[in-house]
C-alpha cells in the first residue's frame, strides 16, 4: 500500500475503534462484535508496528500501559476542586434551599440538578483541542497526582473528544470499580492468597495509584463524569444540565440517573425514590448531589471555604449497626486457604437482616481487635458482603484474641502459613474442600464436557446442586435450567454431553479422580499397567512402583488415596453410574509371548538404547518397570549396571540376564 493510503487506513481504523469504545463504554450500545473489534485493532497495531510514525496519542493501541519510573508528579489543577457540604435530613435540604432563595431573591425561580454521589476517586481530566493531555487525582483540591498513564487505560475515558472541541476544558468525574468487577477482583485475590480489598472505593483508588499502568489496565475501572473545571471557548453553556448534555455528546460517560427538577418539593420525593433504587445499581453511591442548575446563579451564590453554596451532598445514614459477634468459624477454600467468617446475632443494617460477615485473616482480625463474644460494628456497603469494622466498645471480660486453628477443620491436616502470605492454608491436596477444584478439573479437563463451562460449575456448586462428580451425573435438565444462561435446549444439550462423557477412557477417569499427582500421563500409565481399578485399588506400594515413572513417594500417595473409604465409595458410585474402570483397547497391555512377565533393564546396552529394549519387551506383552521386586521375572543388565538393582535382584533371587539372552527372548 502506498504510504498515504496506509496513513488514511490507520486514521480510519483509529476513528472507528474509538467510536466503538464510546459505543461500548459510554453509550452502552455496542456497534460491533468483540471479535470484529479485535480484528480491526490487530490491523491497526500491525500498521503502527511497521510505521511507528503513524502512531497517535489517541490510538486505542496506546491504552495498554507500562511501568512508571519514579514517583507520581504533583500537578496543579487549573481551577481548584472543591468539596461538598453534607446534609442528612429533609429539613436540612429545605433550610439550604431557603438560604439559596434568600440570597438570589425570593421570587427568582431556581432549578436543581440531582445526581448520584459516586463513591470512588475524584479525577480531573485536561483536554486541549479535544485531546486528553493530562489527568490527576483530586489531592488536596489545589494539586493532585498526575496519573495520566493509568487513566489512559480506562476504556470509558475518551483519548479524543467527539465532535468539535474547545481549546481547553477540565472534565471532572469519579473513577470507580463496578460492584460486579469488585467481586471478581476480590475472588481473584482470594484465589491468589492475597488480602482482599475492603470496598470498591479502596479498590479503585489503589488501582489508580499503581506504578505500572499495565496493572491498572487489568482492573475493571470506569468513570462517571459530573462536571467541568476551567473552560475556554464554551460560553454557550449556561447551565449545569446543558453541560452534562454537552459532555455526553462529546463522548463522556455521564450518569443517566441525573435529573433536573424545578422545585424544592420535588427533591424530597426524588431522594426517597433513589434510596430504593440504590441497591440495584452496579456501583456504590453514598448519597445524592444536589446542584443549582444555572451558572449565573451559581456564580452569584459563590463558595465558602471551597465549598459551593450552590450545591449540597445529601448523604444517607451510614449502613452500620452494632451487634454481638457470637463466633468465628473457618471455611476452607478451594485452594486450601482458611477463610475466617463471623457468626453474628442477626441485626438489621440498611433494611437487610444480616447474620454473618466475612473476615480476612488472623492478622487483620487482631489488628482490628475483633473478638468473639464482643459487640462489634458491622457495616454493609451497597450489596457487598457485610464487614466488621471493629469492636463497638471495650472488650467484654474474658474475650480472647483470635487464633487460627492449628489443624484443618475439615481433614485434620496441620495447617501452614507460607512465608510472606497472609492466609493460613491446608496443605492436604485431598482435603474435601478441594472438591470444587476437582469438579472443575473433571468438567473442563478430564471429561472435557461440551456445553458446561467453569462458571456453570461454580454456580451449580454455589447453589448446592452439584458438589461431586457423581452428582454431576445425576443432574437433571430442570436443575441445570436454574443456572443463568441455560434455556431448555442448551440445558438439554449439556445434559446429553454429560451423559456422553461417561464413555471417557479409564485413564481419563483416573486423571479426573483428583488422586495426588495423578495427571494425564500417570493416568495412562496406571490404566495400562494395572488394567482394572480393582487391580490398582489393591496394589501395594511395591507393586505401584513397578509402573513406569512411579517413584516410592507417589506410589505411597496413590496407595493411601485408595485406602481411604470415601475414595473407595466414590469409585464404586462412579462405576455404578456407568463410568469405565477398565482399560480399553488403546490402554490394554499388548498380548504376546511375554505376557505376564516383568523385566527391569539396567546399564548401557550395545545393540539398542534402553528405551528401544523396553519398547520391544512391551510390544511382546511384557511389563517393564524401574525397580526390582520379588515379582520381577528378570533383570537385564548392560555395561555399568545400577548397583542397587543388582544387589536387590541377587537378594530376591531374580535371574540376571545378559544382552544376548535378551535378544533370544525377543526372537522368541
Ligand atoms: S460535584 C465543589 N458531583 O464528592 C465540588 N461530586 O465532596 C463539586 N462526588 O470530591 C463536586 N459524585 O469526588 C460532584 N455527582 C457528583 C459527585 C461528586 C461524587 C464526589 C467528588 C468530590 C466529593 C465532594
Amino acid at each position: 500500500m502506498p504510504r498515504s493510503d496506509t496513513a488514511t487506513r490507520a486514521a480510519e481504523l483509529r476513528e472507528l475503534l474509538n467510536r466503538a469504545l464510546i459505543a461500548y463504554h459510554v453509550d452502552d450500545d455496542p456497534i460491533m462484535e468483540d471479535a470484529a473489534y479485535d480484528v480491526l485493532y490487530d490491523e491497526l497495531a500491525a500498521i503502527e508496528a511497521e510505521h511507528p510514525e503513524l502512531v497517535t496519542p489517541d490510538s486505542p493501541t496506546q491504552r495498554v500501559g507500562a511501568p512508571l519510573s519514579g514517583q507520581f508528579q504533583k500537578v496543579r489543577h487549573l481551577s481548584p476542586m472543591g468539596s461538598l457540604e453534607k446534609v442528612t435530613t429533609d429539613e436540612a435540604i429545605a433550610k439550604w434551599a431557603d438560604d439559596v432563595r434568600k440570597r438570589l431573591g425570593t421570587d427568582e425561580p431556581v432549578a436543581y440538578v440531582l445526581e448520584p454521589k459516586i463513591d470512588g476517586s475524584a479525577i480531573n481530566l485536561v483536554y486541549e483541542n479535544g485531546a486528553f493531555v493530562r489527568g490527576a487525582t483530586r489531592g488536596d483540591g489545589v494539586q493532585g497526582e498526575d496519573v495520566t498513564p493509568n487513566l489512559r487505560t480506562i476504556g470509558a475515558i475518551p483519548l479524543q473528544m467527539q465532535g468539535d472541541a474547545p481549546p481547553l476544558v477540565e472534565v471532572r468525574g469519579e473513577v470507580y470499580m463496578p460492584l460486579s468487577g469488585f467481586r471478581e477482583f476480590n475472588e481473584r485475590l482470594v484465589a491468589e492468597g492475597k488480602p482482599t480489598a475492603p470496598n470498591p472505593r479502596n479498590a479503585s483508588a489503589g488501582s489508580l495509584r499503581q506504578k505500572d499502568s499495565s496493572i491498572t489496565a487489568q482492573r475493571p475501572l470506569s468513570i462517571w463524569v459530573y462536571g467541568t473545571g476551567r473552560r475556554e471557548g464554551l460560553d454557550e453553556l449556561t447551565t449545569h444540565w446543558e453541560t452534562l448534555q454537552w459532555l455526553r455528546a462529546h463522548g463522556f460517560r455521564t450518569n443517566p440517573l441525573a435529573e433536573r427538577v424545578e422545585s424544592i418539593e420535588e427533591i424530597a420525593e426524588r431522594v426517597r425514590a433513589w434510596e430504593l433504587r440504590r441497591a440495584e445499581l452496579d456501583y456504590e453511591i453514598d448519597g445524592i448531589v444536589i446542584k443549582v442548575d444555572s451558572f449565573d446563579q451559581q456564580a452569584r451564590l459563590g463558595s465558602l471555604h471551597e465549598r459551593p453554596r450552590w450545591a449540597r451532598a445529601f448523604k444517607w445514614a451510614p449502613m452500620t449497626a452494632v451487634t454481638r459477634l457470637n463466633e468465628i468459624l473457618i471455611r476452607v477454600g478451594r485452594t486450601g486457604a482458611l477463610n475466617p467468617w463471623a457468626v453474628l446475632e442477626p441485626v438489621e443494617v440498611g433494611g437487610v437482616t444480616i447474620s454473618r460477615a466475612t473476615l480476612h485473616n488472623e492478622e487483620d482480625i487482631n489488628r482490628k481487635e475483633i473478638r468473639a463474644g464482643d459487640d462489634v460494628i458491622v457495616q454493609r456497603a451497597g450489596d457487598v458482603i457485610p464487614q466488621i469494622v471493629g469492636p463497638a466498645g471495650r472488650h467484654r471480660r474474658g474475650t480472647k484474641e483470635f487464633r487460627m486453628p492449628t489443624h484443618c477443620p475439615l481433614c485434620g491436616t496441620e495447617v501452614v502459613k507460607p512465608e510472606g502470605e497472609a492466609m493460613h492454608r491446608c496443605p492436604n491436596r485431598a482435603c474435601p474442600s478441594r472438591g470444587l477444584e476437582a469438579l472443575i478439573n473433571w468438567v473442563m479437563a478430564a471429561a472435557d464436557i461440551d456445553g458446561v463451562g467453569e462458571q456453570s460449575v461454580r454456580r451449580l456448586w454455589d447453589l448446592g446442586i452439584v458438589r461431586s462428580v457423581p452428582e454431576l451425573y445425576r443432574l437433571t435438565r430442570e436443575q441445570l435450567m436454574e443456572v443463568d444462561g441455560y434455556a431448555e435446549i442448551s440445558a438439554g444439550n449439556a445434559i446429553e454431553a454429560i451423559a456422553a462423557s461417561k464413555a471417557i477412557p479409564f485413564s481419563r477417569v483416573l486423571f479426573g479422580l483428583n488422586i495426588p499427582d495423578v495427571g494425564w500421563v500417570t493416568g495412562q500409565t496406571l490404566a495400562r499397567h494395572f488394567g482394572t481399578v480393582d487391580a490398582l485399588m489393591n496394589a501395594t506400594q511395591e507393586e505401584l512402583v513397578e509402573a513406569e515413572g512411579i517413584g516410592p513417594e507417589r506410589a505411597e500417595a496413590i496407595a493411601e488415596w485408595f485406602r481411604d473409604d470415601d475414595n473407595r465409595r466414590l469409585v464404586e458410585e462412579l462405576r455404578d453410574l456407568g463410568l469405565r474402570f477398565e482399560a480399553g483397547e488403546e490402554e490394554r497391555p499388548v498380548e504376546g509371548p511375554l505376557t505376564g512377565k516383568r523385566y527391569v533393564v539396567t546399564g548401557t546396552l550395545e545393540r539398542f538404547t534402553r528405551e528401544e529394549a523396553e519398547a520391544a519387551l512391551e510390544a511382546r506383552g511384557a511389563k517393564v518397570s524401574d525397580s526390582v521386586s520379588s515379582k520381577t521375572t528378570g533383570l537385564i543388565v548392560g555395561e555399568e549396571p545400577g548397583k542397587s538393582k543388582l544387589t536387590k535382584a541377587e537378594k530376591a533371587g531374580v535371574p540376571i540376564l545378559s544382552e544376548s539372552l535378551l535378544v533370544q527372548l525377543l526372537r522368541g
Side-chain angles (χ1 to χ4, degrees), residues 63-66 72 147 149-154 175 177 204 206-221:
R63 288 181 181 269
V64 284
F72 293 115
V147 288
N150 291 347
L151 292 168
R152 292 180 67 93
T153 68
I154 300 176
V175 166
M177 192 178 281
S204 63
S207 301
L208 277 180
R209 298 198 78 258
Q210 289 295 322
K211 287 286 170 55
D212 181 347
S213 51
S214 66
I215 296 178
T216 312
Q218 291 159 21
R219 304 280 170 87
L221 298 177

Side-chain angles (χ1 to χ4, degrees), residues 32-43:
M32 64 173 79
E33 299 285 336
D34 290 1
Y37 182 91
D38 291 344
V39 168
L40 297 176
Y41 182 98
D42 289 346
E43 187 188 343

Side-chain angles (χ1 to χ4, degrees), residues 81-85 115-123 138 173-174 226 286 289 291 306-308 310-311 313:
M81 296 176 78
S83 58
L84 296 167
E85 183 93 31
E115 299 164 0
K117 185 167 191 305
I118 312 298
D119 205 7
S121 307
I123 286 295
R138 178 178 183 277
E174 198 91 349
Y226 54 66
D286 56 352
V289 183
K291 299 172 180 171
E306 296 299 343
R307 286 161 189 256
W310 46 264

